[in-house]
Amino acid sequence: MKCGLGAWVNLALLEVVLITIPSKVYFGTQRTRIQFMRYLLKIRRIWRIYGPFGAFQELAIRRSCWSLENAEPGANKTKTSISDSTTYVRVCELAVADPLIFSKFRRCLEYRLILEHVTVRFGKKYLKIALQNSMALDFFAQIKLQNNVGNPVTFHFKTIGRTSPTSIRYLKVLCQLIELFGPLDDMRISEIGVGFGGQAHAIVANQNLKSYTLYDLPPVLDLTKKFLKNLADISNLKFIDGRNPEPTKSNLVISNYAFSELTRELQTMYLDKVISNAEMGYITWNELSYKELDGYSVSEILFLIPGSRIIPEEPLTYPNNVIIVWGTK
Ligand SMILES: C[S@@+](CC[C@H](N)C(=O)[O-])C[C@H]1O[C@@H](n2cnc3c(N)ncnc32)[C@H](O)[C@@H]1O
């Protein structure tokens, strides 16, 4: 959501006032003033992402979160995507090594920059769409168990009770996959960029698959394993290093906000080794890599995947996001 013009003008005026008036006139030392300016910029960033109401809610949520202040980036020194080499990877490493951090990793501010940032407003929209599937509540009975691991920020939702809004997004994607491709039973599924494995769990816990292959960075996959072990039997799951993906043949490949965040080089590797080997596909696409890492554009991807087409991302979480699908029934 965008900041309204009036709000921008107000913030800009406030900044001009703070910069121009000598600090002692309105408060304390230069240091306090710089801290206040930083705080103001932070509010403006949050406001831009969440909108006026969401910004205040997000600020309140952040008070219940913790931060990995000044941590070094994770041990992984490559750069294969937007989230590679960031503090996000470091949080994954620490959560695997330290049970205390694992018990609250989903409430870490740096982790929430990459995952776990679905707002209540979007949670409600995802729920409305998911509930069009008559099985949604049954599916959610399993998915809801994810809330018991990693202490996510949760809210109360009508019909389903208290949950992390992110889990509702996983429910919505599961329902949409079934609507587009039919029941997933007996399928071999591959997922590119799995995060802590919430989508994988939502699918594996509700459908009788032949196999599920998860691609991500090694430190992220270590955390995914640890997370999933708490909820399911993972002996049937395959975890593959996403920096140099080995080929997999699957019926369905999925990727949400992940394949579209990889470098062009990695995208080409996945296209050759994983995507072109899948009869069906579902890719939630944003423009991050296209704009920041010279990744493919949507039209290039549509050209490279025979039979693919775009459907709207509903709800739309960012301008120009789409879902790329192929092999639908
Ligand atoms: C924004 S998150 C999305 C996670 C998940 N799909 C979800 O919707 O909850 C992007 C994911 O892509 C992963 N990623 C980064 N580099 C990757 C690579 N080379 N191969 C596979 N996944 C990668 C990140 O570690 C992260 O888990």
Side-chain angles (χ1 to χ4, degrees):
M1 197 203 285
K2 293 228 163 67
C3 205
L5 186 63
W8 274 109
V9 172
N10 284 344
L11 279 174
L13 280 176
L14 186 57
E15 278 175 37
V16 170
V17 169
L18 287 169
I19 288 163
T20 48
I21 299 176
S23 58
K24 284 193 192 100
V25 173
Y26 56 96
F27 58 39
T29 61
Q30 187 72 11
R31 199 157 154 247
T32 342
R33 190 176 166 206
I34 290 169
Q35 275 172 351
F36 188 70
M37 284 297 289
R38 283 207 185 120
Y39 187 65
L40 207 65
L41 287 171
K42 194 168 107 184
I43 294 178
R44 195 168 72 173
R45 264 201 309 273
I46 296 173
W47 190 302
R48 275 177 71 183
I49 299 172
Y50 296 95
F53 175 69
F56 288 114
Q57 190 176 48
E58 176 61 19
L59 280 172
I61 291 168
R62 287 185 181 197
R63 293 174 74 93
S64 73
C65 294
W66 59 281
S67 169
L68 200 72
E69 274 169 11
N70 305 326
E72 289 294 311
N76 185 50
K77 294 287 183 277
T78 56
K79 180 73 186 165
T80 64
S81 74
I82 297 286
S83 39
D84 207 337
S85 297
T86 62
T87 321
Y88 161 72
V89 174
R90 184 78 189 124
V91 182
C92 295
E93 291 167 345
L94 292 172
V96 170
D98 183 338
L100 180 64
I101 293 192
F102 180 71
S103 71
K104 55 178 183 177
F105 79 92
R106 292 171 73 184
R107 230 172 243 260
C108 172
L109 287 175
E110 290 76 9
Y111 192 84
R112 290 183 72 249
L113 291 176
I114 305 290
L115 274 166
E116 278 297 331
H117 47 237
V118 177
T119 60
V120 180
R121 206 174 115 251
F122 275 97
K124 284 182 186 162
K125 292 183 184 197
Y126 286 125
L127 184 58
K128 196 170 167 200
I129 297 173
L131 288 176
Q132 288 165 11
N133 184 316
S134 58
M135 293 293 290
L137 292 179
D138 290 335
F139 294 153
F140 199 69
Q142 290 296 319
I143 297 174
K144 205 175 175 179
L145 302 176
Q146 294 181 12
N147 292 312
N148 301 335
V149 190
N151 193 18
V153 177
T154 57
F155 303 90
H156 184 82
F157 291 87
K158 259 193 215 153
T159 327
I160 56 170
R162 210 168 171 81
T163 183
S164 148
T166 304
S167 300
I168 311 180
R169 174 159 68 80
Y170 298 139
L171 170 70
K172 177 257 169 185
V173 170
L174 170 63
C175 293
Q176 193 170 24
L177 290 175
I178 293 172
E179 185 194 318
L180 289 167
F181 305 105
L184 310 178
D185 294 329
D186 289 328
M187 283 197 192
R188 293 175 200 282
I189 299 185
S190 299
E191 183 179 353
I192 302 168
V194 298
F196 58 79
Q199 191 63 62
H201 169 255
I203 296 174
V204 169
N206 285 299
Q207 304 280 288
N208 264 322
L209 304 184
K210 266 213 178 93
S211 67
Y212 201 100
T213 305
L214 302 91
Y215 290 91
D216 211 305
L217 306 170
V220 179
L221 286 179
D222 289 341
L223 179 58
T224 316
K225 276 182 209 161
K226 192 165 174 173
F227 176 82
L228 289 174
K229 265 187 197 162
N230 276 270
L231 296 167
D233 172 17
I234 65 163
S235 56
N236 211 16
L237 310 186
K238 208 171 160 195
F239 297 84
I240 300 188
D241 183 348
R243 294 166 308 177
N244 185 14
E246 62 181 57
T248 298
K249 233 176 152 23
S250 37
N251 303 102
L252 172 66
V253 63
I254 67 174
S255 182
N256 298 312
Y257 316 100
F259 173 71
S260 57
E261 297 187 4
L262 302 173
T263 58
R264 180 177 280 252
E265 191 191 351
L266 250 290
Q267 287 178 334
T268 309
M269 284 162 113
Y270 276 111
L271 280 164
D272 288 348
K273 297 179 177 185
V274 183
I275 292 177
S276 61
N277 288 335
E279 304 136 37
M280 297 174 269
Y282 177 102
I283 297 177
T284 311
W285 179 272
N286 58 31
E287 289 190 320
L288 278 182
S289 165
Y290 171 61
K291 287 200 167 149
E292 292 177 29
L293 297 177
D294 189 33
Y296 287 105
S297 64
V298 180
S299 40
E300 284 174 309
I301 293 292
L302 290 175
F303 176 75
L304 291 168
I305 307 176
S308 59
R309 64 188 169 96
I310 54 174
I311 59 173
E313 184 207 22
E314 280 169 345
L316 184 68
T317 58
Y318 204 78
N320 299 334
N321 279 12
V322 289
I323 300 177
I324 301 172
V325 294
W326 66 98
T328 54
K329 61 176 188 184

